[in-house]
Amino acid sequence: MTADQAGARDDTAPRSAPHVPVVIVGAGPVGVTAALLLARRGVRSVVLERHRDVYPLPRAVATDDEVRRILQAAGVPEEFAALARPANGLRLLDARHRLIAEFPRRPYGHHGFPQTSMFDQPELERLLRDALARRPECEVRGGIEVTAVEQDADGAVRVTYRDDEGEHLLRADAVLGCDGAGSLTREAIGAVWEDLRFEESWTVIDVRTRARVRSWEGVDQVCDPHRPATFMRIGEDRYRWEFRLRDDEELDHERLRELVAPWVDLSYGDDFQLIRQAQYTFRARIADRWRSGRVFLLGDAAHLTPPFIGQGLCTGMRDAYNLTWKLARVLQGGADERLLDTYESERKPHTRHVIRLAVATGWAMTGGQGGAAAIRRSLLAAACRVPALPAAAGHRLSPRAGRGPLVRRHVRPGGRDLAGTFCPQPWVTADGRRTRLDDALGDSLAVLAGAPLPPSVRAVAEGIGARVVTTDSLGDDGTLAAWLRDGRADAVLLRPDRIVLDTVPAGAGCFTDIAGWAPLLCTARRPVPDEQPARPA
C-alpha cells in the first residue's frame, strides 16, 4: 500500500502508539548523518536498521570537500580526518596505461578541506554510529525489519516494524527513507525508477598488502573498451581494483596477478590479502518522485550513480544536508510546509547532472572499439590541454543551485551573481580562537556582511533568526571580503547548508526579494511541542 493510498483509509492503528518526530529507515552513512544533523537542531529521531551492527565490508571509498563540510556540520570533522587519506585527483589512462588526461584535486578546496579524500566505509560508519550514541536525541534500533510505511489522513506517518520481540508501531511526523536501492519506503510512496541507460557488471576487489604498489596517490581510470579498470589507494596498506569481466571469466590467482600487474608484482608468497571480491551491477537510475507528504527518499533509495566519479555516497549526503535543516525548521520553528517542497526541486536536477557525468566517464572508459576508441583518446587529450578544463571539471560536481524559492538570482552588470553558490569556508578567528567559518556561524541562517548594514537588513535578519557577522570581525585571510566584492554584494543571506539564498547588492540597502522567500521561513503557526522519546510498543 502506498503512502497516498494509506492517506485515504480509516486509521485503525491505536492512537496510543509511541510518537517520535522523525523515523529514519536505514542506518547507513546517509541515514545516520541525517540523524546527527537533526539532533544538532534539537529534533529527535529513531533510526531503524536491519543489521545489528555496522556492515563490515568496504563499499564507498571516496568523498569530496563539500561532503567533508557536511561531516563537519554533523560534528565529526576531526574524527573523519584521522581516517581519511587525501588523494591527488583522477587520471584517465589508455589500454597501455599511457596518460590521456589528468584532473588534479587541491589539498585545500573551496569548502575548507581536501578536494578528494579516500576512506574505508566501515570506519566511517563506525565513527558516525559512535557520534550518534553520544546524542540523547538519537537512537538506533538494530535487527529490525520495517514492514510498512503508511500515511494517515491527518498527515502523521505510521511505521510498522518487526524484531525478536514481535511487531511494533511508531507514529512519526516525518519518515526519511534511507533504505537503499531495494527501498521499501520508495515502494510505499509509489515511486518508480527512471532508467538513465547505463548498466554494467564489474568485479570489485579490496586488498590489504605491504607489497610495493605503484600509485600516484590518486585514482586511475583505464579507458579500454576490452578491459576497463579502476585503481585507487584507500589507506596505508589498502587498495581497490575494479574490473569489467566477461560473464564466463573466472578470477583465480593467476588471472588476478595478470590484471594487477601494471600496479604491483605478485607471486604466490607475496603479502597480498584479499579482503573482498564481489560482483556489482553499476546502474544509473533516479526515482520519479522523492516525496509523498511527510515521507522522503534519500540516497540510493532515490538515485543510483555509477561509481566512476566517486559520487554515489556523496550525492546521498547532500540529500541529508539539504533536507534536514528544512525539516527541522518546519518541525521546530513552525516554518511553512512549502519549505519541504524545495527538497526535491533542488536536489533532483543536481543529482541528474552528477549521474550524467558519471555515465559520461563510464562511456569514456568503455565505449567504442578500434577507431572509435582512438578518436575518443585524441578528443580527450586535446580537450584536457585547455588549461582551465581540468580544474573546472571538479567544480561541475557542485554546480550553482537553480533559481527557486530559496535561491534568488540577481545579476548586476560587472559582477557575478552569488545566489545559489556555496560560501567559501576559510579559517577565521572567533572568541579568540582559530576555527572554521561554519563553526563560527552556527547551525542556522546567517547574514555575512562586508559593509555596514542598514537597520532594515538587520531587522530582517532578526525576524528570521539569522546571525549577523561582518567579515572584518572574522580575521580570515581576506577570502570572504574578496568573494563579496567579486559578487558586488554588501552582504549575503546564507542558508544553514551555506548556499547563498539572497544578496544585498552593493549600494542597494536591502535583499533583492524578501517577499519571495520570507513566507517560507517565517509563519505565525506554532510548532507542535515535542514529546518524550518513544520506546517500542
Side-chain angles (χ1 to χ4, degrees), residues 10-289:
D10 292 334
D11 183 8
T12 57
R15 287 289 180 176
S16 59
H19 168 267
V20 64
V22 179
V23 169
I24 299 173
V25 184
V30 174
V32 176
T33 298
L36 286 169
L37 292 169
L38 288 170
R40 288 171 68 91
R41 293 178 167 84
V43 179
R44 292 188 305 104
S45 64
V46 170
V47 185
L48 304 178
E49 167 59 38
R50 63 189 180 96
H51 296 291
R52 295 188 180 276
D53 200 357
V54 169
Y55 187 73
L57 296 180
R59 286 160 291 167
V61 293
T63 189
D64 58 27
D65 55 331
E66 182 185 341
V67 171
R68 291 203 51 174
R69 193 173 188 174
I70 296 172
L71 292 171
Q72 175 192 351
V76 294
E78 305 311 324
E79 293 93 330
F80 183 74
L83 62 87
R85 186 182 188 90
N88 288 336
L90 168 69
R91 297 193 310 185
L92 302 182
L93 309 177
D94 68 9
R96 296 171 60 185
H97 285 237
R98 296 175 300 183
L99 182 66
I100 300 174
E102 183 174 313
F103 300 91
R105 304 295 273 162
R106 298 192 303 271
Y108 189 86
H110 185 80
H111 297 280
F113 295 96
Q115 286 188 304
T116 298
S117 300
M118 313 305 294
F119 67 95
D120 179 49
Q121 182 169 335
E123 291 183 348
L124 169 62
E125 292 197 35
R126 175 57 60 198
L127 79 85
L128 289 172
R129 292 276 193 101
D130 289 346
L132 200 69
R134 297 191 293 268
R135 304 291 313 205
E137 306 91 343
C138 310
E139 179 189 353
V140 176
R141 299 178 187 174
I144 297 293
E145 180 190 1
V146 176
T147 57
V149 176
E150 302 171 315
Q151 204 149 200
D152 294 341
D154 61 2
V157 188
R158 300 182 300 173
V159 179
T160 307
Y161 69 92
R162 185 183 301 117
D163 62 15
D164 293 341
E165 298 179 357
E167 191 168 88
H168 309 281
L169 176 68
L170 289 174
R171 288 176 60 86
D173 298 321
V175 169
L176 310 187
C178 306
D179 45 346
S183 170
L184 176 143
T185 314
R186 186 178 61 249
E187 294 180 6
I189 69 170
V192 297
W193 286 126
E194 176 188 349
D195 190 348
L196 300 182
R197 299 188 178 184
F198 186 92
E199 184 169 323
E200 289 187 350
S201 294
W202 285 58
T203 295
V204 178
I205 302 166
D206 286 286
V207 167
R208 177 175 282 113
T209 181
R210 293 290 181 178
R212 183 178 177 273
V213 180
R214 293 176 285 276
S215 170
W216 76 296
E217 300 298 337
V219 178
D220 287 341
Q221 303 275 30
V222 180
C223 303
D224 177 5
H226 299 287
R227 177 69 69 206
T230 302
F231 163 73
M232 63 204 77
R233 184 175 186 174
I234 300 171
E236 187 64 29
D237 61 349
R238 287 281 315 284
Y239 302 87
R240 170 172 290 186
W241 281 271
E242 298 172 357
F243 300 100
R244 191 181 68 182
L245 302 181
R246 295 187 301 271
D247 293 339
D248 60 348
E249 193 171 6
E250 294 185 3
L251 191 63
D252 57 18
H253 186 85
E254 285 301 317
R255 191 73 184 104
L256 179 61
R257 284 186 62 188
E258 178 185 340
L259 291 172
V260 303
W263 296 277
V264 59
D265 298 320
L266 294 184
S267 66
Y268 284 104
D270 279 331
D271 171 22
F272 199 79
Q273 178 188 356
L274 191 63
I275 300 173
R276 181 191 65 153
Q277 175 185 332
Q279 186 166 333
Y280 282 89
T281 300
F282 298 154
R283 295 183 174 93
R285 293 179 176 178
I286 192 166
D288 65 338
R289 58 191 303 203

Side-chain angles (χ1 to χ4, degrees), residues 372-394:
I375 293 172
R376 180 181 69 247
R377 182 184 187 281
S378 299
L379 290 175
L380 281 170
C384 291
R385 283 195 291 268
V386 178
L389 183 61

